[in-house]
Amino acid sequence: MQIMKYTNKGFEALTVRAGDYLLNKLGRAKMTVKFYHRLWRKIDSYMVAEKINTYSAVAGERYLMQQFGKYDYATLLKSQKDIVRAVNILSEYAKTGQI
């Protein structure tokens, strides 16, 4: 299986496609998709600041490390778990084209 990588220019396209998948294939509410887009924009800002040119699961994990350091998911606040979930969703979509 080929792992797709998305440049910063392609990052918006990636998030749009992932959001469409959530909305149309998984039946998530529009507000849920907007919520994920808001979180994904923070990842994009992080990538620009860190000069990370392509999105991959590695970039997502680096973002989480920057946010939380080495973390135990069970001890995170709900808002922090939402961030982890947003990264996982985006990474899975980037890797497989599915969530």
Side-chain angles (χ1 to χ4, degrees):
M1 172 191 316
Q2 180 180 1
I3 297 175
M4 296 177 275
K5 291 186 177 180
Y6 294 87
T7 63
N8 285 7
K9 285 185 176 183
F11 187 79
E12 184 176 353
L14 169 65
T15 60
V16 167
R17 287 195 304 273
D20 286 345
Y21 191 93
L22 287 169
L23 188 65
N24 299 315
K25 299 279 186 181
L26 299 181
R28 298 297 188 264
K30 286 183 182 180
M31 290 305 294
T32 300
V33 174
K34 284 183 180 184
F35 175 73
Y36 283 120
H37 275 285
R38 201 167 44 249
L39 295 175
W40 293 335
R41 278 194 298 273
K42 292 179 182 181
I43 298 169
D44 188 36
S45 296
Y46 163 78
M47 289 174 54
V48 170
E50 295 295 316
K51 297 180 176 63
I52 298 172
N53 294 320
T54 57
Y55 183 82
S56 65
V58 172
E61 285 300 318
R62 286 182 182 167
Y63 173 74
L64 293 175
M65 287 296 292
Q66 187 261 348
Q67 291 293 303
F68 310 122
K70 189 170 172 119
Y71 63 91
D72 175 7
Y73 184 82
T75 64
L76 296 177
L77 301 172
K78 183 197 176 304
S79 61
Q80 294 170 320
K81 288 178 180 179
D82 290 339
I83 295 168
V84 173
R85 191 175 311 109
V87 168
N88 289 341
I89 286 170
L90 193 59
S91 294
E92 183 67 21
Y93 188 80
K95 183 177 176 183
T96 67
Q98 299 179 57
I99 300 168

